[in-house]
C-alpha cells in the first residue's frame, strides 16, 4: 500500500482480513498525517452529491473571478488540468450529476457496512459516533432544491432524509437557537456518523502491527515499476517488491501513475479546518451550513470545523487569510459552536478530486491497482473502496 491515510489504512486492514500480508508505506512519519489529518470528520453516507452539477456550471464566471469566498478556481496552464476541466464540464449536466450522485450513494452504503465490519473485527477506537446530521438552508430556493434532490435520491437508493421546519430543526439541535430566525428549513439524516480520521489511521496501524504486518513511515516513493514483479522505489534506491501494489497516494497518485503510462484524472481541491474546544452553544448533531459552506462536527471534547474549496491549488501550507475566512464564516454560521479564541489546530489539505467525484478503483498496470481520487468523501468512501479493491484483486488473481 502506498499511502497511509484513511484509504490506504482501510485497504490494508481489509486485505489483511482476507488473508493477505500487507506493507504500508507513507512519506509522513505516522499514518493519517496528510489529507486525513484534520478533515471534516463527517461520515456522509447520505450526502454524496457530485461536485460537478448544473449549479456549479452556472457559477463558473463567479468562480473564475474569485467572487465566492468559499469556493475558488485556480486554473492551470497544463494539458492535464485542461483535460480534467473539460471532463468536469461534461459531468455538470443534470443526468450526469444524478448518475454520479447515485453511484456515490451506492458506494457509501457499501462503505458503512465495511467500516462497521472493520470496527467489529479490530475494536478500532476513533471517537466514532452516530449523531445524525442537519443541513441548514437560509433561502426558500435552496431549501426547495434540496428537498427535490433528497426525493430523487430516496427514489433511487434507500436514503432517509427528513425535511424539517426551523422549529423542528431546533427540536433536533437546540444549539441552533441563536440563529433560528435565519433558518428557512433543514434536512435531517438521523443515522449519519462521524469519527476522527487520523485516530482511525493510528488505530488501524496498531491493529496491523499487532498482527505482524508492516506500516513504515518517512518513505517517499519516487516511482513504481511494473515490468515483471511490481516494485515501489524510494529516491535512495531502496526497493519494495510485492505481488500487488495498491496506489492510495491521494493527490500524489497521478505523478506515480504517470511513470506507468497511465493518466489519472485527478486535481487537488484544497480545504481548511480548525479544531477547537466546544463553545457555549456547541451542537452535538453534525451540522452543514449550506450558505456558508461550513461543516461542524463534534469529536468527543473537540469541535472540528471545516470548509473552503480551492480547485487546482497544490500548496498544502495554511494561508492565514483563507483561514481567517473560514473562521469568519464559521462564526457567522454558528457563533457559539466553538471557542474561536482557543483554536488548537489549523490545517489545510489537498482532496484528490476526479471529474465525476467518484474514486478510481481499477488496475492501472500489471500488479498495480489504483484506489484514489476520493475527493471530499475519502473518509466516507474509504472502507467501501477498500472492499472493492480486495474483490478486484481476488477476481484477477
Amino acid at each position: 500500500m502506498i499511502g497511509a491515510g484513511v484509504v490506504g489504512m482501510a485497504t490494508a486492514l481489509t486485505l489483511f482480513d482476507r488473508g493477505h500480508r500487507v506493507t504500508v508505506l507513507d512519506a509522513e512519519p505516522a499514518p493519517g498525517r496528510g489529507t486525513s489529518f484534520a478533515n471534516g470528520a463527517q461520515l456522509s453516507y447520505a450526502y454524496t452529491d457530485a461536485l460537478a452539477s448544473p449549479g456549479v456550471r452556472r457559477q463558473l464566471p463567479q468562480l473564475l473571478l474569485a467572487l465566492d469566498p468559499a469556493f475558488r478556481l485556480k486554473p492551470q496552464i497544463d494539458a492535464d488540468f485542461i483535460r480534467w476541466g473539460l471532463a468536469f464540464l461534461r459531468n455538470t449536466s443534470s443526468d450526469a450529476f444524478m448518475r454520479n450522485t447515485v453511484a456515490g450513494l451506492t458506494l457509501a452504503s457499501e462503505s458503512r457496512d465495511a467500516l462497521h465490519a472493520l470496527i467489529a473485527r479490530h475494536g478500532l477506537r476513533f471517537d466514532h459516533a452516530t449523531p445524525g446530521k442537519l443541513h441548514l438552508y437560509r433561502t426558500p430556493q435552496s431549501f426547495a432544491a434540496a428537498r427535490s434532490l433528497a426525493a430523487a435520491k430516496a427514489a433511487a437508493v434507500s436514503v432517509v432524509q427528513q425535511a424539517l421546519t426551523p422549529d423542528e430543526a431546533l427540536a433536533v439541535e437546540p444549539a441552533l437557537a441563536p440563529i433560528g430566525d435565519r433558518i428557512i428549513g433543514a434536512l435531517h439524516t438521523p443515522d449519519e456518523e462521524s469519527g476522527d480520521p487520523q485516530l482511525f489511521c493510528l488505530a488501524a496501524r496498531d491493529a496491523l502491527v499487532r498482527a505482524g504486518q508492516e506500516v513504515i513511515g518517512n518513505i517517499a516513493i519516487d516511482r513504481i515499476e511494473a515490468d515483471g514483479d511490481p516494485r515501489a522505489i524510494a529516491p535512495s534506491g531502496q526497493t519494495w517488491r510485492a505481488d500487488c501494489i495498491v496506489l492510495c497516494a491521494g493527490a500524489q497518485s497521478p505523478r506515480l501513475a504517470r511513470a506507468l503510462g497511465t493518466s489519472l484524472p485527478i486535481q487537488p481541491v484544497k480545504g481548511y479546518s480548525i479544531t477547537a474546544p466546544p463553545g457555549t452553544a456547541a451542537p452535538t448533531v453534525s451540522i452543514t451550513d449550506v450558505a456558508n459552506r461550513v461543516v461542524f462536527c463534534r469529536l468527543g471534547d473537540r469541535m472540528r470545523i471545516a470548509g473552503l474549496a480551492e480547485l487546482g491549488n497544490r500548496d498544502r501550507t495554511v494561508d492565514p487569510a483563507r483561514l481567517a475566512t473560514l473562521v469568519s464564516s464559521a462564526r457567522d454560521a454558528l457563533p457559539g459552536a466553538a471557542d474561536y479564541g482557543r483554536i488548537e489546530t489549523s490545517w489545510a489539505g489537498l482532496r484528490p478530486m476526479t471529474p465525476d467525484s467518484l474514486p478510481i478503483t481499477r488496475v492501472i498496470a500489471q500488479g498495480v491497482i489504483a484506489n484514489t481520487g476520493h475527493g471530499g468523501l475519502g473518509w466516507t468512501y474509504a472502507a467501501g473502496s477498500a472492499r472493492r479493491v480486495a474483490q478486484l484483486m481476488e477476481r484477477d488473481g
Side-chain angles (χ1 to χ4, degrees), residues 79-225:
D80 288 339
F81 186 88
I82 293 169
R83 279 193 294 269
W84 188 97
L86 292 173
F88 182 84
L89 286 173
R90 288 194 294 272
N91 279 281
T92 59
S93 70
S94 297
D95 288 346
F97 167 74
M98 199 63 210
R99 181 174 62 250
N100 295 334
T101 296
V102 169
L105 287 170
T106 301
L107 175 56
S109 177
E110 296 172 19
S111 199
R112 185 203 299 268
D113 294 342
L115 179 61
H116 289 181
L118 291 177
I119 294 169
R121 280 195 295 268
H122 299 285
L124 305 175
R125 300 176 66 87
F126 51 93
D127 284 338
H128 183 228
T130 307
K133 182 157 66 170
L134 284 166
H135 270 221
L136 308 181
Y137 298 91
R138 301 186 185 236
T139 67
Q141 296 83 358
S142 64
F143 188 37
R147 294 199 309 272
S148 176
L149 178 58
K153 290 194 290 189
V157 182
S158 179
V159 174
V160 178
Q161 294 178 285
Q162 303 163 345
L164 305 182
T165 66
D167 286 344
E168 290 169 335
L170 288 174
V172 171
E173 179 48 82
L176 298 177
I179 62 164
D181 60 346
R182 296 156 59 189
I183 299 171
I184 294 296
L187 284 183
H188 182 219
T189 312
D191 58 354
E192 290 284 72
E193 301 174 13
S194 62
D196 189 316
Q198 187 201 19
L199 291 183
F200 169 84
C201 293
L202 295 175
R205 174 199 62 188
D206 293 345
L208 288 167
V209 170
R210 283 195 302 269
Q213 311 304 296
E214 291 187 291
V215 181
I216 307 172
N218 292 316
I219 298 295
I221 296 302
D222 181 60
R223 67 188 188 278
I224 300 170
E225 295 180 354

Side-chain angles (χ1 to χ4, degrees), residues 47-72:
Y47 293 93
T48 63
D49 304 356
L51 179 62
S53 68
V56 168
R57 183 176 59 203
R58 289 191 294 270
Q59 287 181 304
L60 280 177
Q62 183 181 8
L63 298 178
L64 288 168
L65 294 171
L67 298 178
D68 186 334
F71 188 12
R72 290 185 174 178

Side-chain angles (χ1 to χ4, degrees), residues 2 6 16 58 101 119 126 191 193 195 208 219 244 247 285 328 355 360 394:
I2 299 177
V6 289
F16 168 72
R58 289 191 294 270
T101 296
I119 294 169
F126 51 93
D191 58 354
E193 301 174 13
L208 288 167
I219 298 295
C244 182
L247 179 58
V285 175
S328 175
I360 299 166
E394 291 160 2

Side-chain angles (χ1 to χ4, degrees), residues 86 103 156 174 223 231 261 273 283 350 361 396:
L86 292 173
R223 67 188 188 278
R231 304 175 297 282
S273 80
L350 306 181
T361 50
D396 292 353

